[in-house]
Amino acid sequence: MSAAKAGSPRAILANFLFASEKNALEFAVEPREDLKQGSGQIQMLRDAPGHDAFLLDALSGAGRRYTIVSPWVIVSTMERVGILAAFEAAVQRGAAVDCSLIRCSTKARLLMH
């Protein structure tokens, strides 16, 4: 996992899981009928780079309101990959950005409101 610090529990787990196909986690994904309502397309995001790319792409669109809820976002990472700048750009073009994060710094809150 590129986002995990070397030697951290996440990095150790990632090294183990990706060392062999035999270590793969297998689980069934239950359908989410609540997410199928509306006209949006559902996408499965599996890793940090995929989440970052999806969020940057969404924020660069013409949306008027973005609601982001995540317990896994780290503000320093948001800043490093450009997500805070994308929040700011969306707000400057008139979009509303509502973000609920477990770890959210004052800087991020100021940019989002």
Side-chain angles (χ1 to χ4, degrees), residues 22-92:
K22 293 178 184 177
N23 298 342
L25 298 175
E26 304 264 346
F27 56 92
V29 178
E30 295 185 26
R32 294 277 312 267
E33 296 302 321
D34 58 320
L35 296 178
K36 293 181 180 180
Q37 298 171 6
S39 61
Q41 182 181 10
I42 298 173
Q43 292 180 283
M44 180 69 72
L45 304 174
R46 297 191 179 268
D47 57 20
H51 284 85
D52 296 345
F54 175 84
L55 193 51
L56 289 168
D57 183 56
L59 289 166
S60 70
R64 294 185 305 172
R65 181 170 185 83
Y66 300 92
T67 301
I68 301 157
V69 179
S70 176
W72 302 110
V73 176
I74 299 169
V75 175
S76 61
T77 301
M78 292 169 58
E79 190 166 31
R80 180 176 46 78
V81 300
I83 294 171
L84 289 182
F87 283 166
E88 189 170 20
V91 169
Q92 286 178 353

Side-chain angles (χ1 to χ4, degrees), residues 90-113:
V91 169
Q92 286 178 353
R93 72 167 190 273
V97 178
D98 181 23
C99 195
S100 296
L101 310 173
I102 286 183
R103 295 181 231 163
C104 190
S105 71
T106 301
K107 180 178 182 180
R109 285 190 188 113
L110 290 173
L111 285 174
M112 291 181 270
H113 294 288

